[in-house]
Amino acid sequence: MEVNEPSQQCLVGARHKQTEVGLIPTDWEVRNVAEAFAICNQFRLPLSRATRSGMSGPYPYYGPTGPQDWINEFRLDGEYALIGEDGDHFLKWKTQPMTLLVRGRFNVNNHAHVVQGIAENHTDWFRWFFANRDITQFLTRQGASRYKLTKATLACLPCAIPSPKEQRAIADALTDADTLIDSLEQLLTKKRQIKQGAMQELLTGKRRLPGFIKAWTHTTLAQVADMKSGLTITASRLQETYRYPCYGGNGLRGFTDSFTHEGSYALIGRQGALCGNVCLAKGRFYASEHAVVVTTHKNVDVIWLHYVLIRMNLNQYSESSAQPGLSVEKLLKLELNVPEFSEQQAIGEILADIDADIEVLEMRLAKTRILKQAMAQALLTGRIRLVEPSA
């Protein structure tokens, strides 16, 4: 899949003015939603889940976060923005409301407002502006802990209005960034699926690598590795400026000024809800009392074994208590099939290469999300201009 970066455009400075939506360029206007957009809630189609379950058809039935079902009729046809009506939802997860842009023939339930641009104002501009704006101060309280964005309040919300040309340019730029993010997410999902399939085939011997024909040995973890918990460490000994990583029951816990191990080891989370989590630690590091350090025997590849432990889903062996935990004694009794050392190494290298690709994609995705957020903040306030300011 080819992934294209958003195209760069000329960035032009502009003077700003203070308004109820903050600093915006002097050639932008501020209008209430009802003045620049049409609220089309009369086309909403409230249907119970029971009613929808007996229907099927080509038309999506939307809520504020996406399609919920498909039915055999439609009430809306064109381009519309949906903004969540239930304030509780976005107060819980973020300050900005849920917004969607939907095109074609579809239906909407009564938990989202339906908005469309009028007088050359773009529907997509509404979507982007409010997807990145905190509107919690405008929510109506309904009871002790319930909030709602009413239609009357939505109609009065102030919205910055650039020229139609600039609205389109900004919306297109942010949509390009979203398209890139979606592409990276799809690539990441595909790569993770490839890894899962490779682990299933290579770690079970279902698929053998070229040149390897020797039978695998059936044994227990006790015959391939030793296991021992790390040492106690207090939170006061963890500082970001220290040199050595400290691993606990769920991976990296922080950094400290001393180390307990040097080399390559598999670590297993010993306590807590995420006990059984497996990671690979290399170099000098400190293993806390919540991590089980796995020391491989001769002719056992640590990278291969760490993938085997991941596939074992060790959390299923945790003992039920107020604080779930793993017993080293029980772990050592678990059975596995072991290929010859050179085949272990070859399998480990393939899986490690896939993990390296995944890490690169994760980093690129994280950076792209940060870039998109910065773009949105700059473009939606007019600090960066994609078109020449109007006179």
Side-chain angles (χ1 to χ4, degrees):
M1 180 186 298
E2 181 180 357
V3 179
N4 296 317
E5 303 282 354
S7 59
Q8 293 185 343
Q9 300 189 45
C10 178
L11 306 182
V12 183
R15 295 175 58 188
H16 283 65
K17 60 185 177 183
Q18 185 64 250
T19 69
E20 56 264 56
V21 297
L23 284 172
I24 61 173
T26 54
D27 57 316
W28 288 17
E29 299 179 0
V30 175
R31 297 181 187 172
N32 292 340
V33 167
E35 297 173 332
F37 304 93
I39 302 176
C40 306
N41 287 3
Q42 69 271 23
F43 296 113
R44 297 192 299 187
L45 179 62
L47 293 174
S48 68
R49 181 174 296 179
T51 300
R52 300 196 311 269
S53 64
M55 304 174 69
S56 63
Y59 306 114
Y61 184 80
Y62 276 85
T65 59
Q68 297 180 333
D69 280 299
W70 294 77
I71 63 176
N72 54 13
E73 62 177 294
F74 68 92
R75 285 193 176 182
L76 291 154
D77 186 3
E79 180 178 88
Y80 295 85
L82 307 184
I83 181 169
E85 180 180 275
D86 184 2
D88 302 327
H89 182 82
F90 59 83
L91 272 179
K92 181 178 181 181
W93 301 109
K94 60 178 184 177
T95 56
Q96 294 86 1
M98 300 297 299
T99 61
L100 291 173
L101 184 73
V102 184
R103 296 186 176 96
R105 294 176 173 178
F106 63 98
N107 299 277
V108 180
N109 67 19
N110 59 339
H111 296 292
H113 298 292
V114 184
V115 179
Q116 188 176 48
I118 58 176
E120 295 188 301
N121 292 313
H122 293 286
T123 305
D124 211 8
W125 170 257
F126 171 93
R127 186 269 293 254
W128 281 115
F129 184 81
F130 285 105
N132 292 272
R133 184 162 183 79
D134 182 357
I135 64 169
T136 55
Q137 62 175 310
F138 299 103
L139 298 179
T140 300
R141 183 186 291 271
Q142 295 185 328
S145 59
R146 292 193 60 81
Y147 297 83
K148 186 174 182 179
L149 175 62
T150 66
K151 179 180 178 181
T153 300
L154 173 63
C156 296
L157 287 180
C159 180
I161 304 293
S163 69
K165 181 179 179 181
E166 191 164 7
Q167 291 180 35
R168 180 76 278 150
I170 293 171
D172 287 347
L174 294 176
T175 299
D176 285 346
D178 257 358
T179 300
L180 175 57
I181 289 172
D182 289 342
S183 297
L184 290 172
E185 289 175 340
Q186 291 174 21
L187 285 172
L188 191 54
T189 297
K190 183 177 181 180
K191 184 64 73 170
R192 286 170 175 160
Q193 291 171 343
I194 290 172
K195 174 189 173 182
Q196 193 66 29
M199 289 178 64
Q200 172 65 24
E201 293 190 335
L202 296 176
L203 296 176
T204 61
K206 183 178 180 180
R207 177 165 69 90
R208 302 293 296 274
L209 297 175
F212 296 103
I213 59 174
K214 186 177 293 188
W216 291 18
T217 302
H218 187 74
T219 185
T220 64
L221 283 175
Q223 299 302 310
V224 300
D226 297 322
M227 296 184 184
K228 186 177 180 180
S229 298
L231 301 180
T232 301
I233 186 171
T234 60
S236 62
R237 290 184 57 193
L238 299 177
Q239 301 288 338
E240 287 298 320
T241 56
Y242 286 155
R243 177 179 179 181
Y244 304 109
C246 175
Y247 292 94
N250 189 32
L252 184 64
R253 182 178 168 186
F255 294 86
T256 188
D257 57 355
S258 62
F259 62 93
T260 57
H261 295 78
E262 183 175 7
S264 296
Y265 297 83
L267 303 180
I268 304 172
R270 188 174 65 87
Q271 285 187 330
L274 296 176
C275 66
N277 176 66
V278 180
C279 68
L280 188 66
K282 296 182 178 181
R284 294 177 174 178
F285 64 91
Y286 195 107
S288 80
E289 73 277 15
H290 297 301
V292 175
V293 182
V294 181
T295 305
T296 54
H297 293 175
K298 184 179 180 181
N299 291 329
V300 178
D301 183 68
V302 65
I303 296 176
W304 166 82
L305 183 59
H306 122 273
Y307 285 114
V308 171
L309 294 171
I310 290 173
R311 187 177 175 278
M312 282 182 168
N313 185 25
L314 299 177
N315 182 266
Q316 65 180 306
Y317 303 109
S318 63
E319 299 176 343
S320 298
S321 65
Q323 178 77 345
L326 289 172
S327 164
V328 168
E329 181 181 0
K330 290 184 178 180
L331 290 179
L332 290 172
K333 293 179 181 179
L334 297 178
E335 300 178 347
L336 73 162
N337 293 312
V338 182
E340 61 179 309
F341 182 62
S342 56
E343 189 171 3
Q344 294 174 33
Q345 290 180 310
I347 294 172
E349 288 176 3
I350 289 174
L351 297 177
D353 286 345
I354 297 175
D355 263 344
D357 291 343
I358 289 174
E359 184 177 357
V360 170
L361 282 172
E362 287 174 337
M363 291 176 62
R364 187 180 178 198
L365 177 59
K367 290 179 180 178
T368 304
R369 285 172 172 159
I370 293 172
L371 174 62
K372 184 241 175 162
Q373 187 60 37
M375 284 176 57
Q377 292 174 355
L379 294 175
L380 295 170
T381 58
R383 287 190 289 110
I384 293 179
R385 308 294 295 273
L386 299 180
V387 302
E388 292 286 350
S390 58

